[in-house]
């Protein structure tokens, strides 16, 4: 009962400070942009706090995993600065968490407060403040899951807004005309495969090759990513069972995503370590509810070694056309490179989907 009370108080403090979510926060066009890497949280606290038990609870609550990828992909990495170092440096870090002890704090529990657009637009700043170490420790034990949820949402939301500002009018028009949906895309995205029920859109190269027909071979060390949009007839809800979605995916990719090597095509990895996972999901505006699926792909069809990577897909039904639609992003990157930003970009695109006709 004691811990339930602590959780309730933490959530109540969180909600009473600011009841708006990142997706409902008004966007300010002017002002400096945020700094720091996607997938990082700057933790500002005294060194003795960082070296204490509190750090373990920060790691547990804020460093979670986007499953089931290999190598592991963390939602966030924690970066520490002391208050004096923070004051002397750039304050526009995209995700900032302050942990402060203030003897003048009058609450029976520590407070967890959130602010937006403090030193830069779309910056999220969270403060944990208590009158002593024990108050702060309890807040970090019980409140970090809620804090993670807020940082997790703003991370993809920033990217979605960025892509919406960039707008690829020609590519988006073709997607709207063919599929009746709209998606936010990064600048420089281009359609490399277009069929009535299947599009593949490739994003600008980031930095390891993935060899598709029509794309050529890129320099070793490059990161290639993009999305695929496809549809097929919707019959009943059993099609949303994970295994059925995977079967449909493998069939669609076999005929639409060939490798440069004849006989190879994009397929799904089914090893236990990276067996695909899925759960319910809705778009940023809440208007489309569907099923997301995450896993790993590999080029298959012949008993030879080939490249592979990660995928993240969103499935939903278009009521007017009775089509089951899928928007599926893929990332092929070296194992020595962080996949966090690329996967967050895919997530942002999936969240941006809108049905327009």
């Amino acid at each position: 009962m004691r811990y339930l009370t602590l959780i309730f108080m933490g959530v109540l403090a969180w909600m009473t400070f600011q009841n708006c979510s990142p997706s409902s926060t008004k966007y300010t066009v002017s002002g400096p942009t945020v700094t720091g890497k996607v997938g990082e949280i700057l933790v500002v606290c005294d060194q003795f706090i960082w070296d204490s038990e509190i750090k373990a609870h920060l790691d547990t609550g804020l460093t979670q995993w986007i499953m089931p990828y290999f190598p592991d992909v963390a939602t966030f990495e924690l970066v520490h600065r002391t208050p004096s170092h923070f004051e002397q440096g750039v304050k526009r870090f995209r995700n900032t968490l302050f942990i402060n002890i203030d003897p003048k704090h009058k609450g029976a529990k520590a407070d967890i407060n959130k602010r937006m657009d403090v030193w830069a637009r779309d910056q999220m700043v969270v403060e944990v403040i208590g009158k002593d170490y024990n108050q702060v420790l309890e807040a970090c034990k019980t409140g970090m899951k809620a804090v993670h949820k807020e940082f997790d949402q703003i991370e993809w939301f920033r990217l979605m807004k960025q892509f919406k500002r960039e707008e690829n009018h020609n590519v988006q028009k073709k997607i709207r005309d063919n599929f009746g949906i709209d998606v936010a895309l990064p600048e420089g995205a281009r359609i490399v495969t277009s069929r009535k029920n299947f599009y593949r859109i490739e994003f600008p190269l980031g930095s390891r090759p993935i060899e598709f027909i029509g794309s050529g071979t890129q320099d070793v060390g490059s990161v290639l990513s993009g999305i695929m949009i496809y549809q097929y007839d919707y019959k009943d809800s059993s099609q949303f069972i994970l295994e059925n979605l995977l079967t449909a995916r493998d069939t669609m990719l076999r005929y639409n995503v060939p490798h440069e090597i004849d006989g190879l095509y994009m397929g799904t990895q089914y090893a236990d370590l990276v067996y695909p996972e899925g759960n319910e999901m809705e778009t940023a505006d809440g208007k489309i509810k569907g099923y997301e699926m995450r896993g790993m792909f590999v080029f298959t069809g012949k008993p030879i070694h080939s490249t592979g990577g990660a995928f993240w897909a969103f499935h939903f039904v278009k009521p007017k056309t009775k089509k089951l639609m899928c928007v599926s992003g893929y990332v092929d990157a070296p194992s020595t490179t962080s996949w966090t930003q690329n996967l967050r970009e895919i997530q942002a695109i999936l969240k941006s989907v809108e049905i327009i006709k």
Side-chain angles (χ1 to χ4, degrees):
M1 181 63 69
R2 175 174 175 268
Y3 286 105
L4 288 175
T5 302
L6 288 171
I7 293 172
F8 173 77
M9 293 297 292
V11 172
L12 182 62
W14 183 265
M15 294 176 64
T16 55
F17 178 80
Q18 181 172 328
N19 59 13
C20 64
S21 67
S23 57
S24 63
T25 301
K26 185 178 180 181
Y27 175 63
T28 304
V29 176
S30 60
T33 58
V34 292
T35 62
K37 296 179 181 179
V38 172
E40 287 185 342
I41 297 174
L42 181 67
V43 182
V44 182
C45 65
D46 289 326
Q47 190 66 45
F48 84 90
I49 293 177
W50 183 252
D51 293 336
S52 73
E53 181 185 350
I54 287 175
K55 183 177 183 297
H57 294 290
L58 297 179
D59 285 332
T60 299
L62 300 177
T63 305
Q64 300 181 25
W65 306 103
I66 305 175
M67 300 294 289
Y69 299 121
F70 183 81
D72 294 331
V73 179
T75 52
F76 295 104
E77 177 185 350
L78 305 184
V79 179
H80 175 242
R81 295 288 186 275
T82 63
S84 60
H85 287 159
F86 178 78
E87 290 297 329
Q88 296 168 15
V90 177
K91 299 180 180 180
R92 306 197 313 271
F93 208 96
R94 63 187 62 230
N95 306 310
T96 303
L97 172 65
F98 288 93
I99 302 179
N100 292 322
I101 295 175
D102 183 358
K104 296 180 181 179
H105 177 70
K106 296 181 179 180
K109 308 290 181 184
D111 289 336
I112 302 177
N113 303 324
K114 179 184 75 173
R115 292 177 290 163
M116 297 294 299
D117 306 323
V118 180
W119 290 285
R121 65 174 184 259
D122 283 340
Q123 179 187 38
M124 179 178 287
V125 175
V126 176
E127 181 184 32
V128 179
I129 183 167
K131 69 177 180 181
D132 55 34
Y133 174 83
N134 289 331
Q135 274 195 1
V136 171
L137 174 61
E138 287 297 333
C140 291
K141 283 182 178 179
T142 60
M144 287 304 103
K145 287 186 178 180
V147 173
H148 178 273
K149 183 177 180 180
E150 295 290 330
F151 279 131
D152 191 67
Q153 183 175 357
I154 192 64
E155 197 71 307
W156 62 257
F157 187 73
R158 290 189 197 98
L159 292 166
M160 185 185 75
K161 290 207 299 186
Q162 174 188 330
F163 293 163
K164 284 188 173 182
R165 289 197 303 269
E166 291 172 350
E167 292 190 336
N168 289 263
H169 296 290
N170 183 49
V171 174
Q172 288 172 307
K173 182 180 185 304
K174 291 180 179 180
I175 293 172
R176 287 193 292 264
D177 291 344
N178 194 69
F179 294 102
I181 65 170
D182 202 5
V183 293
L185 296 172
E187 186 176 3
R190 64 191 183 97
I191 298 173
V192 293
T193 302
S194 61
R195 299 186 176 102
K196 182 179 179 180
N197 290 321
F198 186 94
Y199 272 23
R200 185 169 70 82
I201 297 96
E202 195 173 82
F203 300 159
L205 283 175
S207 65
R208 167 177 163 192
I210 182 172
E211 298 168 337
F212 291 110
I213 287 177
S215 298
T217 302
Q218 317 300 339
D219 292 337
V220 174
S222 63
V223 175
L224 196 143
S225 60
I227 64 168
M228 297 171 289
I229 304 173
Y230 58 85
Q231 62 183 7
Y232 49 93
D233 292 337
Y234 175 69
K235 298 176 182 178
D236 58 60
S237 59
S238 67
Q239 291 173 272
F240 277 89
I241 296 173
L242 178 62
E243 286 72 20
N244 292 338
L245 291 174
L246 288 168
T247 298
R249 173 187 175 85
D250 287 339
T251 300
M252 188 66 71
L253 300 190
R254 177 170 189 159
Y255 295 104
N256 291 283
V257 193
H259 193 277
E260 285 286 338
I261 298 175
D262 186 47
L264 286 181
Y265 57 90
M266 182 182 279
T268 306
Q269 290 197 46
Y270 290 104
D272 290 343
L273 181 64
V274 292
Y275 195 90
E277 297 182 5
N279 52 266
E280 294 180 356
M281 175 188 141
E282 65 179 32
T283 51
D285 60 11
K287 293 181 179 180
I288 307 177
K289 292 177 171 56
Y291 190 86
E292 67 174 333
M293 186 167 66
R294 301 172 306 279
M296 301 285 289
F297 72 84
V298 65
F299 281 94
T300 187
K302 285 187 175 181
I304 61 174
H305 175 75
S306 65
T307 60
F311 74 85
W312 195 335
F314 177 49
H315 306 80
F316 59 95
V317 174
K318 281 189 64 185
K320 289 185 178 180
T321 61
K322 296 297 181 181
K323 293 289 186 180
L324 195 160
M325 299 207 62
C326 177
V327 181
S328 178
Y330 59 87
V331 175
D332 184 15
S335 59
T336 54
T337 300
S338 171
W339 297 7
T340 301
Q341 175 156 346
N342 301 96
L343 285 170
R344 285 294 195 182
E345 290 175 353
I346 297 298
Q347 183 186 22
I349 291 167
L350 304 187
K351 288 283 191 178
S352 75
V353 174
E354 297 179 36
I355 296 175
I356 59 172
K357 64 179 182 180

